[in-house]
Amino acid sequence: MKKYPSKSSASVLAIALSGMVLSMPATAFAADEQPQASENEGGLGIITVTARKREESLLETPIAISALTAQDIEKRGITNVNDVVLNTPGINVSNTNSGRNDRSFQQISLRGMTPSTTTSTLTASFIDGVPVASATALNAIADPARIELLKGPQNAYFGRNAFAGAINVVTKSPGKDFGGAISAMGGTRNNFDVSASLEGPIVADILSFRLTGRAFAKDGSYRNGANPNQTLGDQQTHTGTLALEFTPSSALTIKALGLYSEDDDGPSAQGLLSAYELRANNGVVNIPFRSGNTNGTVIVPSLANCTLNGTNPFICGALPALPAGFSPAQNTLEDALLARILARPDLRVPNPSKGARGYGLVRQYYHLHLNVDYELGDTGLTLSSLTGYNNELYSQMADLDNYDSSLLRNPLANATNGLRTYWTFPFLVERRNKDFSQELRVSYDKGGALKAMLGGSYLDTKTQGGLLSVFNEEQFGAARAANTLTPPGRAETWGVFGSVSYDVTESLNISAEGRWQRDKVYAFAGGRSLTIGAAASTKYGLPAGTFAPLTTFFNKTFDNFMPRIIVNYDVTPDVMVYASWSQAANVTLSSFNTSFLSGTAGEFAAAEAIGLGVVVKPEKLTNYELGLKGKFLDGRLYVTAAAYVADWSEQHNNRSVTFLDTTIPNALPSIVSGVANTGTTQVRGFELDISAEPVDGFTINASGAINDSSIRSFADPAITRLTGVSGDGFKGKQLPLTSKYSANLGAQYTGELGEESTWFVRGDLSYKSRQFVDPANLTWIKGRAQVNARMGFTKGSFGLEAFATNLFNDKNYTAVAQNNLLEPTFALAGAPFGYLNVGLPELRTLGVRGNYKF
């Protein structure tokens, strides 16, 4: 536990909320009803979106969009990116790569397109149209006006990384009158969430502000088997925003937003499923698969049910439940030895005072943006500027062996050297992401048949990372290696983009959009100086010479043009169909593999053995889409549907190997990883969203998606070595870490209690089908069906509700990743993947929430 409220916080909050109800004067209950969306028309409201850099009705925008309004967010209890994914078909999120399952990064798979690395994304993230450092940053926005999920390539408008789509969080504009809101929640497992907002004028009708703050904490759902006094999955967040809106005239609007958030989480909720049995035999590890005997005490049971490639035990089919009494378990002792290691500032990305002080995650995030819109009289022209800055730092330490290894003795430890007495493998991962962006554009819209836009953009992205082997220092007292600091990354992106939309007839519209983009990506040396000899220079096209640590020695420019053509036709005034064709490219900071260049001869050989080169080409996508949007039954039924086929080529795939370098004496284990263009896939699917209000007070939201994929070519020597599948054996199989089928169903009934009082009851079902572990499709995690329920009442400006999330306690895993099984001899480190790291869901949570608006 870290700085969390006491165990009685839920009951104290419930008493406090009851007191608020009883003591609040009747005059406080002023009507504060908000429409379903931005306007009301018929039964359901009109939802406004900004998918094409201008405000349009969702039903009139010929792009596949799922939009959650402020009312949707409140009704469904959405507070983070995982909740958005839960409530939206066709999207998955994974946190389990790199041996942990936490909030340090969140990989989003949209329309079945899974990014292969932890440092790149195929789905871009934005706040008010301004790019942010990572999807995790979206968790910092409390009480947004709207969340827009744009499906399919969005590069023409949103630039780099919008390859599979984009998520745009739209914040609320400051109000012209003083007002605000406060919300407080308490629940089981010490859940605690308090947020507040205040807004109003600074200078009447000219300058206004909006201030928000949030404090959130919860205990994890699982006891740590290696430390029963600790729960796994503890989280704590503090965040605040300040927004200003300046309107000196009706033609000029200036909006500024500043945001700061910090996370302080404990060890993550994850489990281990091993294909190998490990035993502790008088402090020494015994691997029966290798030794042929069963001496010692089992510390990791084998769950293998198949043998792959003739020699590799593995777990095939649907993954079983965690072995009771063995997992989840992590050695997370925080003592003076660990404190001394983490207090050392050398070769750390942050100052130790701002980094991890024990097991778990520490994260700080700063975001600033400035949006300016100026209308040039009655010309129909609007000049717009978007300026953004992000600074994100995370520091996370995890027990990468992921099991209770306390019975395994460290033979080097004695009473005088202070080393860890038992074997364990703690590892610290740190990263800082910084970027600056600027966009300028001019838009034309005079209400006629022609609409047009022309703009330019610049994005400068910088990263700095570190991989600190706390293991080496705890176990061996080893000196901190210079290669702890990984090669930094930098990319400069320039873009020129525009669109022309013309109403050929009252019913037919044609739009042409496109972006020319130049990405200049820099290659850096790592924490050790880099010498490139003549042979490597010739082979990889690099400059020969010696380069100082953390300096750039090479850069490459990638030019891409990304067009989109849309034809939409109004079948009736309320029903529209559209067809679109688009192309996209994805250039990432993973465009170079440089770490192995400054490594030992053994690292270099290991990198080449898994097929790593230096330059990685951009991924490419061609997307075809048909869609329908309309409203029926006098506005009581909204329907949107889309079908798509996309060809994905030059696919990036991650490759890594853990090995002992035999070229140097007394070598310690090392990890070599990188990215290669080794995949071609066709993705295709169908998406459907329905909103209905069949009778007054009763609303239904139903949505579903089929996101299928068919691999055309794929290569990864690690997966082939494990499974025996290679070449054409991957053809026709599905991409991993994404659900082919997904659906959501929500229903709410709202009734009258009396004057200015209402009551409601709501239920939401989310389903996502199984996810394959890798492209061989031999192993998978089962599908999940989660039910959330809420009921409560409002009286004027006050509301009180009770809720249950994961009502039926679905325990199926949320994500999965393959890993090498770590043990003292490292006999399995160079073997094919030996265990699966599974993300554990948050279990049933019950609670009460109250809110008051003034």
Side-chain angles (χ1 to χ4, degrees):
M1 286 297 299
K2 303 179 179 180
K3 312 171 191 173
Y4 284 15
S6 67
K7 293 291 182 183
S8 60
S9 63
S11 58
V12 170
L13 181 60
I15 294 171
L17 291 173
S18 300
M20 289 171 60
V21 177
L22 295 174
S23 62
M24 195 171 295
T27 55
F29 295 109
D32 190 27
E33 291 296 320
Q34 296 188 22
Q36 167 74 13
S38 58
E39 301 177 45
N40 279 334
E41 181 178 292
L44 298 170
I46 296 175
I47 299 175
T48 300
V49 296
T50 53
R52 295 195 291 180
K53 301 287 187 178
R54 60 179 185 264
E55 291 192 350
E56 301 175 284
S57 165
L58 172 68
L59 294 182
E60 296 175 356
T61 306
I63 298 172
I65 306 171
S66 291
L68 296 166
T69 67
Q71 291 73 38
D72 292 328
I73 293 166
E74 181 178 355
K75 289 175 182 177
R76 304 185 195 189
I78 294 172
T79 60
N80 54 50
V81 170
N82 282 8
D83 290 339
V84 174
V85 172
L86 182 70
N87 283 272
T88 309
I91 182 171
N92 294 87
V93 63
S94 174
N95 307 324
T96 55
N97 282 339
S98 300
R100 58 196 195 274
N101 175 44
D102 60 30
R103 299 194 289 174
S104 59
F105 68 93
Q106 294 184 299
Q107 286 187 298
I108 293 176
S109 300
L110 182 58
R111 283 191 167 179
M113 287 182 272
T114 304
S116 63
T117 72
T118 59
T119 57
S120 66
T121 179
L122 301 176
T123 303
S125 304
F126 300 84
I127 298 175
D128 292 334
V130 176
V132 297
S134 70
T136 310
L138 303 182
N139 293 334
I141 299 295
D143 190 25
R146 186 172 65 254
I147 300 174
E148 302 172 356
L149 181 60
L150 316 179
K151 303 174 184 179
Q154 305 297 323
N155 301 77
Y157 282 103
F158 290 96
R160 190 160 63 90
N161 298 135
F163 189 79
I167 300 177
N168 184 31
V169 175
V170 180
T171 62
K172 290 182 178 178
S173 295
K176 302 299 182 182
D177 300 315
F178 278 108
I182 184 169
S183 173
M185 178 274 282
T188 52
R189 291 191 309 280
N190 219 22
N191 267 260
F192 184 80
D193 194 346
V194 175
S195 61
S197 64
L198 180 67
E199 62 184 1
I202 300 175
V203 179
D205 299 323
I206 295 178
L207 179 63
S208 55
F209 77 96
R210 177 176 171 81
L211 183 68
T212 73
R214 182 186 180 217
F216 157 75
K218 69 175 181 181
D219 285 359
S221 297
Y222 303 88
R223 288 288 169 186
N224 184 355
N227 182 2
N229 294 321
Q230 181 183 60
T231 51
L232 299 176
D234 296 358
Q235 294 183 354
Q236 180 174 263
T237 293
H238 294 91
T239 185
T241 67
L242 173 62
L244 298 173
E245 183 171 285
F246 181 51
T247 53
S249 71
S250 60
L252 177 62
T253 301
I254 302 174
K255 296 181 181 179
L257 177 75
L259 179 156
Y260 173 73
S261 73
E262 58 183 20
D263 300 327
D264 191 358
D265 298 351
S268 57
Q270 60 191 47
L272 175 145
L273 302 172
S274 177
Y276 293 88
E277 181 180 275
L278 300 184
R279 291 174 174 256
N281 184 21
N282 295 319
V284 178
V285 69
N286 176 26
I287 309 172
F289 182 80
R290 295 292 182 96
S291 68
N293 66 67
T294 57
N295 298 333
T297 301
V298 176
I299 56 176
V300 175
S302 170
L303 300 176
N305 61 359
C306 63
T307 300
L308 300 179
N309 204 17
T311 59
N312 303 318
F314 205 65
I315 307 169
C316 295
L319 293 185
L322 295 179
F326 294 96
S327 187
Q330 302 172 36
N331 295 120
T332 55
L333 177 64
E334 297 178 3
D335 59 1
L337 171 61
L338 180 62
R340 287 196 303 271
I341 293 172
L342 296 182
R344 289 177 51 188
D346 52 310
L347 302 177
R348 292 286 301 276
V349 173
N351 183 294
S353 64
K354 294 184 177 295
R357 297 173 293 279
Y359 287 88
L361 167 72
V362 173
R363 176 179 172 272
Q364 297 97 34
Y365 175 68
Y366 301 85
H367 170 84
L368 299 169
H369 75 245
L370 178 69
N371 292 8
V372 181
D373 293 293
Y374 181 63
E375 298 178 6
L376 298 178
D378 61 354
T379 63
L381 296 174
T382 300
L383 302 179
S384 299
S385 170
L386 281 72
T387 308
Y389 171 76
N390 297 282
N391 187 337
E392 179 186 43
L393 168 71
Y394 70 75
S395 176
Q396 199 273 358
M397 194 174 79
D399 178 35
L400 288 190
D401 52 283
N402 205 19
Y403 61 91
D404 185 357
S405 55
S406 58
L407 292 180
L408 299 177
R409 185 178 66 252
N410 177 13
L412 297 182
N414 58 53
T416 60
N417 61 19
L419 298 179
R420 182 70 66 226
T421 58
Y422 59 88
W423 189 91
T424 186
F425 201 94
F427 212 84
L428 181 68
V429 179
E430 298 180 317
R431 187 174 180 87
R432 183 181 293 278
N433 302 309
K434 287 185 178 181
D435 65 64
F436 168 80
S437 62
Q438 177 62 58
E439 178 181 303
L440 297 171
R441 67 176 186 270
V442 56
S443 305
Y444 174 78
D445 183 358
K446 209 171 181 181
L450 177 67
K451 296 179 179 66
M453 183 267 294
L454 180 64
S457 63
Y458 173 74
L459 174 63
D460 187 5
T461 304
K462 299 176 182 177
T463 68
Q464 182 182 0
L467 301 174
L468 175 59
S469 179
V470 179
F471 159 80
N472 286 342
E473 298 184 33
E474 274 196 354
Q475 298 286 311
F476 310 115
R480 191 163 292 180
N483 66 339
T484 291
L485 294 178
T486 58
R490 185 185 181 192
E492 290 184 283
T493 302
W494 295 265
V496 177
F497 60 97
S499 66
V500 176
S501 174
Y502 186 72
D503 294 329
V504 180
T505 68
E506 289 187 358
S507 300
L508 178 65
N509 176 274
I510 299 177
S511 298
E513 309 159 356
R515 175 184 292 262
W516 173 85
Q517 183 167 291
R518 168 164 289 180
D519 292 279
K520 186 177 182 180
V521 186
Y522 296 82
F524 286 80
R528 295 181 294 210
S529 61
L530 169 64
T531 298
I532 300 177
S537 173
T538 301
K539 182 174 183 177
Y540 296 116
L542 303 174
T546 299
F547 305 92
L550 308 181
T551 60
T552 183
F553 63 92
F554 179 71
N555 64 75
K556 185 173 178 61
T557 298
F558 302 92
D559 290 336
N560 291 285
F561 178 66
M562 294 165 285
R564 180 166 66 184
I565 305 295
I566 305 175
V567 178
N568 57 284
Y569 180 76
D570 293 334
V571 180
T572 72
D574 293 331
V575 179
M576 177 258 286
V577 294
Y578 69 89
S580 67
W581 167 87
S582 58
Q583 290 186 322
N586 186 44
V587 180
T588 75
L589 293 177
S590 300
S591 295
F592 297 118
N593 300 309
T594 60
S595 294
F596 73 90
L597 292 176
S598 56
T600 65
E603 288 180 68
F604 193 92
E608 291 200 319
I610 60 174
L612 295 183
V614 172
V615 177
V616 184
K617 293 182 287 187
E619 299 177 278
K620 298 294 182 71
L621 189 75
T622 300
N623 187 76
Y624 307 88
E625 188 168 317
L626 296 173
L628 176 146
K629 295 187 175 187
K631 59 182 179 179
F632 309 88
L633 304 177
D634 295 325
R636 288 188 177 271
L637 174 65
Y638 286 179
V639 178
T640 67
Y644 67 92
V645 176
D647 293 315
W648 183 7
S649 60
E650 301 293 353
Q651 189 175 337
H652 289 184
N653 288 303
N654 196 43
R655 296 182 171 196
S656 64
V657 63
T658 302
F659 75 105
L660 284 171
D661 191 345
T662 58
T663 66
I664 58 177
N666 302 317
L668 298 177
S670 300
I671 299 175
V672 170
S673 63
V675 176
N677 297 104
T678 58
T680 301
T681 303
Q682 185 179 86
V683 290
R684 53 197 178 234
F686 178 75
E687 301 154 340
L688 176 67
D689 286 278
I690 297 173
S691 298
E693 188 179 27
V695 297
D696 290 345
F698 181 55
T699 57
I700 300 173
N701 308 103
S703 53
I706 302 173
N707 299 112
D708 194 13
S709 56
S710 177
I711 294 174
R712 302 301 173 85
S713 65
F714 177 80
D716 185 332
I719 295 175
T720 295
R721 186 178 177 191
L722 170 68
T723 65
V725 179
S726 63
D728 289 346
F730 290 106
K731 283 188 175 181
K733 298 187 184 298
Q734 295 181 42
L735 292 175
L737 306 182
T738 185
S739 298
K740 181 176 180 179
Y741 304 104
S742 53
N744 283 78
L745 177 63
Q748 177 169 324
Y749 184 78
T750 303
E752 300 291 334
L753 277 176
E755 185 177 355
E756 296 183 348
S757 300
T758 63
W759 65 275
F760 75 92
V761 60
R762 180 179 182 89
D764 287 281
L765 167 65
S766 171
Y767 171 74
K768 295 190 186 295
S769 67
R770 65 183 181 179
Q771 300 177 45
F772 289 110
V773 171
D774 61 41
N777 288 188
L778 300 176
T779 306
W780 60 85
I781 60 174
K782 300 175 184 177
R784 297 192 72 246
Q786 179 167 320
V787 174
N788 297 339
R790 323 179 81 82
M791 61 183 300
F793 74 92
T794 62
K795 183 170 177 60
S797 297
F798 178 77
L800 183 67
E801 70 174 39
F803 66 86
T805 59
N806 198 3
L807 179 62
F808 298 109
N809 222 26
D810 189 312
K811 296 181 180 180
N812 287 327
Y813 309 126
T814 59
V816 61
Q818 294 165 316
N819 286 273
N820 294 100
L821 189 61
L822 300 174
E823 43 74 35
T825 68
F826 291 95
L828 301 174
F833 296 118
Y835 94 89
L836 297 166
N837 183 31
V838 289
L840 305 180
E842 186 171 351
L843 300 181
R844 179 170 49 237
T845 302
L846 307 177
V848 60
R849 181 187 297 274
N851 60 77
Y852 176 63
K853 301 175 182 178
F854 58 91

